[in-house]
Amino acid sequence: KAGVTQTPRYLIKTRGQQVTLSCSPISGHRSVSWYQQTPGQGLQFLFEYFSETQRNKGNFPGRFSGRQFSNSRSEMNVSTLELGDSALYLCASSSDRDGNTIYFGEGSWLTVV
Amino acid sequence: SQQGEEDPQALSIQEGENATMNCSYKTSINNLQWYRQNSGRGLVHLILIRSNEREKHSGRLRVTLDTSKKSSSLLITASRAADTASYFCATSGSARQLTFGSGTQLTVLP
């Protein structure tokens, strides 16, 4: 079974631009969540989607948004990028039956210059 | 925001020794999970312990949970150089939302 797949793995953007990151969950998983990891703030929850609906949202500004498609694939978008948005963005998925175990992808490294 | 702290922040041991990492958290939980992260990579799920469990084993891993003290420990026995990584505890309540600790950087010297 393939794991959580994230694309792209690395990207560099300029301040003020916007970025879209993509995530394909483990087959059969309908819950997809996103996390941001930075050296200063550590790992922080962004949002969680289930069946195309956002169920939970972390404490991030409205520039951070996401969506989930009918095939459970998810995207997150960051608009008007700031230098502080440079981070590793991790996507995770979990199943309906064992929602407790959450599996992560390799992440997307975003550098804002 | 971070759920709590992990202790120690960094740990350096010789191959073959045991490594113990501790995690404290602040709120009531449904379960606690431990993850490993190699430099620049994603998080690998190691083990989950539910709030009504006190101890769990998986291979060379042993996890304990003390809900009265809001703390957990991860023991890695007979460490190998390949165990070198950052280790994070993460708690969750009713929602599928993990709150992570600050992590322990483990270095296993050959």
Side-chain angles (χ1 to χ4, degrees):
Chain A
K1 209 179 208 182
V4 178
T5 305
Q6 292 187 245
T7 56
R9 284 279 286 131
Y10 305 92
L11 67 167
I12 300 173
K13 290 286 187 177
T14 303
R15 201 168 37 177
Q17 287 186 316
Q18 65 120 20
V19 66
T20 299
L21 308 177
S22 180
C23 172
S24 293
I26 292 171
S27 178
H29 287 190
R30 291 195 290 168
S31 170
V32 174
S33 49
W34 289 87
Y35 292 79
Q36 181 198 63
Q37 185 177 26
T38 60
Q41 298 299 315
L43 282 150
Q44 293 189 287
F45 172 78
L46 279 157
F47 27 65
E48 186 229 351
Y49 286 86
F50 182 84
S51 291
E52 303 178 66
T53 302
Q54 187 181 86
R55 287 204 296 198
N56 295 295
K57 189 176 191 305
N59 189 25
F60 278 82
R63 300 186 297 107
F64 292 81
S65 62
R67 60 177 176 167
Q68 187 180 33
F69 303 95
S70 58
N71 61 358
S72 295
R73 192 177 67 84
S74 177
E75 290 180 346
M76 69 160 283
N77 184 278
V78 187
S79 62
T80 319
L81 284 165
E82 300 176 359
L83 296 178
D85 297 333
S86 295
L88 176 64
Y89 290 89
L90 292 160
C91 175
S93 74
S94 60
S95 75
D96 296 357
R97 284 190 299 171
D98 177 20
N100 292 312
T101 301
I102 297 175
Y103 300 93
F104 283 81
E106 287 291 329
S108 292
W109 277 102
L110 170 64
T111 300
V112 182
V113 298
Chain B
S1 62
Q2 300 292 314
Q3 168 70 288
E5 293 299 317
E6 289 183 58
D7 167 50
Q9 287 189 327
L11 177 62
S12 185
I13 59 173
Q14 294 292 136
E15 212 165 21
E17 293 181 338
N18 295 342
T20 300
M21 290 159 259
N22 303 296
C23 163
S24 63
Y25 56 92
K26 296 175 183 173
T27 61
S28 61
I29 62 171
N30 279 352
N31 62 70
L32 185 145
Q33 305 183 54
W34 284 89
Y35 289 86
R36 183 186 74 228
Q37 185 178 39
N38 291 88
S39 183
R41 307 295 296 273
L43 296 169
V44 174
H45 185 266
L46 296 176
I47 195 166
L48 178 150
I49 186 165
R50 301 184 196 283
S51 59
N52 60 354
E53 297 175 312
R54 291 297 167 258
E55 187 171 313
K56 202 161 182 181
H57 297 254
S58 176
R60 294 184 296 114
L61 306 178
R62 171 179 169 254
V63 169
T64 61
L65 178 65
D66 187 335
T67 53
S68 65
K69 295 181 179 177
K70 291 188 168 56
S71 68
S72 174
S73 68
L74 171 68
L75 168 68
I76 304 174
T77 60
S79 296
R80 306 165 181 167
D83 294 328
T84 294
S86 292
Y87 291 81
F88 294 91
C89 68
T91 57
S92 64
S94 55
R96 295 188 192 191
Q97 172 181 335
L98 294 176
T99 304
F100 284 86
S102 50
T104 293
Q105 172 60 50
L106 173 66
T107 302
V108 181
L109 303 169

